[in-house]
Amino acid sequence: MRKKIIAGNWKMHKTATEALALATEIIQMANDELHNQAHLVLIPPFVHLHSLSKLTAASSRVALGAQNCHHETQGAFTGEVSAAMLAAVPVQYVIVGHSERREYFQETPAQIAQKIDLLLAHHLTPIFCCGESLAVREAGNAYGYVSSQVIDSLFHLSPEAMAQVVIAYEPIWAIGTGKTATSTQAQEMHWHIRQEIAKKYGESLALNLSILYGGSMKPDNAADLLACPDVDGGLVGGASLQSRDFINIAKAVH
Ligand code: PEP
């Protein structure tokens, strides 16, 4: 059975006090109200990881994640954070290849592949993001584009390593725009990604991989998206900054 994951990417939001308050509320609400099989992941800015790890360590429902790591093991990379540092916090998940990092920080598919290798070496779960721009979708190339992203950064992995990865399909045109992919668009792309993985790694591995949807997921559209057979959860940006919205999205997992 595939793991159902609702991960909240807080991006560059929340001070230390606000982060503790939000995490405390989410953990409390998850304990009181969440009766399905959803696993929650809180993904705050790096500076809050240590304090939040004390809260998440006590919760069986809520794990901790980081938004990025550097692609080298260590060294003179001012301002960067390594996979080993994240493993020592400890966090359980790390986002890699988010479209904002690909666009604003010029991350390359090769660097993303290196990050994934380092994370897996430290027994951390990469949440590998892929997704096309509006121009690519309108040109009719969305499937080929996303296939290339998956192939370029993941297909060097052994089957054992690949089985540890979580994929997040995040159409760039739906991130932070309020414009969500329809459940049909999401299902078609998730199915396509799973088929791509099945061709390389076999049906059984592909069927066990969690593929999350990201892009303006909100309480009022989560049920439709999460009802799709190949959508195994969500990577949530804006709506993860409000405890009530985040928990209501998690409640839509079935
Ligand atoms: C994201 O950035 O991963 C994301 C899905 O953001 P939002 O939910 O705000 O569109």
Side-chain angles (χ1 to χ4, degrees):
M1 176 99 120
R2 298 200 284 267
K3 203 167 177 179
K4 305 280 182 171
I5 299 167
I6 301 293
N9 175 11
W10 296 3
K11 308 193 183 186
M12 198 174 72
H13 293 287
K14 304 292 176 187
T15 63
T17 316
E18 292 165 349
L20 270 177
L22 178 58
T24 305
E25 281 169 24
I26 289 172
I27 291 170
Q28 188 63 51
M29 286 179 177
N31 286 343
D32 295 347
E33 302 176 28
L34 210 53
H35 306 300
N36 60 19
Q37 40 165 342
H39 293 267
L40 304 189
V41 187
L42 307 183
I43 312 184
F46 288 135
V47 287
H48 307 322
L49 287 174
H50 189 67
S51 60
L52 264 55
S53 73
K54 298 193 175 94
L55 300 180
T56 53
S59 169
S60 54
R61 294 299 293 265
V62 185
L64 192 62
Q67 296 175 17
N68 181 36
C69 71
H70 197 257
H71 58 275
E72 298 286 351
T73 50
Q74 61 178 356
F77 302 107
T78 302
E80 293 295 324
V81 169
S82 72
M85 293 171 194
L86 296 174
V89 171
V91 309
Q92 293 78 45
Y93 293 85
V94 180
I95 297 175
V96 277
H98 192 281
S99 59
E100 288 158 10
R101 292 214 57 91
R102 291 181 194 255
E103 183 180 353
Y104 307 139
F105 301 93
Q106 287 77 49
E107 279 188 8
T108 65
Q111 288 170 342
I112 294 166
Q114 272 180 275
K115 292 179 189 207
I116 289 168
D117 291 345
L118 285 172
L119 293 172
L120 291 172
H122 287 92
H123 308 289
L124 298 173
T125 302
I127 300 178
F128 168 76
C129 300
C130 54
E132 79 289 355
S133 65
L134 190 58
V136 169
R137 178 158 282 264
E138 286 179 345
N141 296 332
Y143 294 103
Y145 185 87
V146 170
S147 287
S148 300
Q149 288 182 313
V150 168
I151 291 165
D152 291 350
S153 295
L154 294 178
F155 276 17
H156 65 288
L157 295 173
S158 68
E160 294 71 29
M162 185 66 190
Q164 306 307 314
V165 173
V166 169
I167 294 178
Y169 167 59
E170 300 206 303
I172 297 169
W173 46 271
I175 296 180
T177 57
K179 197 172 171 186
T180 319
T182 63
S183 50
T184 306
Q185 286 171 320
Q187 169 56 27
E188 284 173 356
M189 185 59 86
H190 282 230
W191 186 85
H192 171 78
I193 293 169
R194 211 180 291 287
Q195 289 312 303
E196 209 50 270
I197 289 162
K199 274 191 263 163
K200 164 91 176 162
Y201 291 99
E203 189 87 0
S204 151
L205 190 150
L207 284 175
N208 280 305
L209 216 69
S210 294
I211 308 180
L212 317 183
Y213 170 80
S216 298
M217 189 182 262
K218 308 272 183 248
D220 60 2
N221 60 29
D224 267 0
L225 290 161
L226 294 167
C228 299
D230 286 295
V231 176
D232 306 309
L235 180 55
V236 185
S240 71
L241 299 172
Q242 303 287 340
S243 52
R244 173 49 57 204
D245 285 352
F246 190 58
I247 289 294
N248 284 349
I249 291 172
K251 282 182 172 177
V253 166
H254 53 121

